[in-house]
């Protein structure tokens, strides 16, 4: 959008070149075009025959050089070149704005100190004012970072012309960018393949675990139904023995024979029974009468 606007702003000056046959008229046209607030691209004006004819004029060849700097140069190029026409305030601001677009290619050029040196600005406040004017003109999207003394530019408008001989270097940059993209895609494909392999292995392990679980459940079901394997045969025998002991033994023992403790318990019971009979006999037959106590042993 900004490029179309700039091209439309240049159209009246392109029409005036047809009548600018004299070197003085062509030089004045360059001054008017570069001072206009909406013109930022000048390649079409630079290529017109009337403007190119200034290279043959000793008095106005410097105006042609000035237009070249506005097309693809920087403010540093202007200050380092001698015998150029002086700039008015509008031209100075525009050339610094266009130079900011060129410097934005390298973030190292966007510190306050570097911009002050490259654009011949007196202080950090002047740097901030220039960046703000470029943002309002739609030339850049940028943020000021006074704490770190830097300008962060996220995008620039395509309003700079290509310098002669810059296409080969641009193609080289595009090839390098394409190589980085290819390398990145290869790395992504390798990571995707690794993720798929890991997922497949995890799925296989989960499937094997499920099959093992089902097999163990089936074995447990067979055990509950009375079908015993050699491994759980001994466990089943011990369980049966415990069950029999709980059913027939007095204290959970599986043996049916009475022990000494059982004999003593039976003797105590029988003594209590005999004492009770003696008491009742005394009541019936008189005191002092006793019966013999017979013991039985199993």
């Amino acid at each position: 959008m900004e490029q179309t606007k700039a091209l439309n702003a240049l159209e009246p000056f392109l029409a005036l070149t047809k009548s600018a046959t004299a070197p003085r008229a062509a030089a004045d046209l360059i001054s008017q075009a570069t001072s206009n607030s909406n013109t930022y691209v000048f390649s079409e004006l630079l290529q017109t025959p009337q403007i190119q004819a200034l290279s043959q004029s000793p008095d106005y060849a410097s105006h042609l050089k000035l237009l070249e700097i506005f097309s693809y140069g920087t403010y540093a190029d202007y200050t380092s070149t001698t015998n150029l026409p002086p700039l008015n305030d509008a031209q100075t601001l525009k050339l610094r704005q266009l130079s900011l677009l060129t410097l934005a290619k390298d973030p190292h050029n966007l510190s306050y100190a570097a911009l002050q040196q490259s654009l011949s600005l007196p202080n950090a406040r002047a740097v901030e004012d220039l960046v703000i004017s470029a943002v309002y003109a739609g030339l850049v999207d940028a943020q000021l970072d006074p704490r770190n003394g830097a300008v962060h530019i996220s995008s620039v408008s395509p309003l700079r012309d290509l310098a002669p001989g810059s296409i080969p270097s641009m193609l080289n940059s595009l090839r390098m960018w394409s190589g980085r993209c290819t390398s990145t895609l290869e790395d992504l494909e390798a990571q995707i393949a690794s993720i798929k392999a890991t997922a497949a292995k995890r799925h296989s392990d989960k499937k094997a675990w499920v099959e093992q679980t089902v097999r163990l459940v089936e074995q447990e079901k067979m055990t509950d139904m009375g079908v015993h394997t050699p491994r759980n045969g001994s466990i089943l025998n011990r369980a049966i023995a415990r069950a029999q002991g709980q059913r027939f033994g007095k204290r959970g023992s599986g043996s049916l024979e009475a022990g000494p403790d059982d004999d003593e318990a039976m003797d105590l019971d029988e003594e209590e029974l005999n004492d009770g009979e003696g008491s009742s006999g005394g009541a019936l037959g008189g005191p002092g009468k006793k019966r013999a106590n017979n013991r039985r042993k199993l």
Side-chain angles (χ1 to χ4, degrees), residues 89-110:
D89 292 341
Q91 288 175 317
T92 301
L93 175 61
K94 178 173 294 185
L95 185 55
R96 283 172 172 165
Q97 291 175 338
L98 293 173
S99 300
L100 181 62
L101 300 182
T102 302
L103 295 173
K105 295 187 298 182
D106 187 357
H108 296 289
N109 297 329
L110 296 179

Side-chain angles (χ1 to χ4, degrees), residues 147-166:
R147 180 177 181 181
N148 296 316
V151 179
H152 303 289
I153 295 180
S154 56
S155 66
V156 298
S157 298
L159 298 177
R160 295 253 66 188
D161 299 320
L162 293 176
S166 62

Side-chain angles (χ1 to χ4, degrees), residues 219-234:
Q219 290 180 0
E220 186 67 22
K221 289 181 179 179
M222 293 174 63
T223 302
D224 294 341
M225 293 173 63
V227 179
H228 311 295
T229 61
R231 292 182 61 186
N232 57 21
S234 60

Side-chain angles (χ1 to χ4, degrees), residues 270-283 289 291-292:
E270 206 164 304
E271 287 177 359
E272 292 175 358
L273 180 61
N274 291 335
D275 292 341
E277 290 176 355
S279 298
S280 62
K289 188 176 180 179
R291 291 185 179 181

Side-chain angles (χ1 to χ4, degrees), residues 161-175:
D161 299 320
L162 293 176
S166 62
I167 292 180
S169 62
M170 183 178 294
L171 290 176
N172 186 37
S173 299
L174 290 174
R175 291 190 189 97

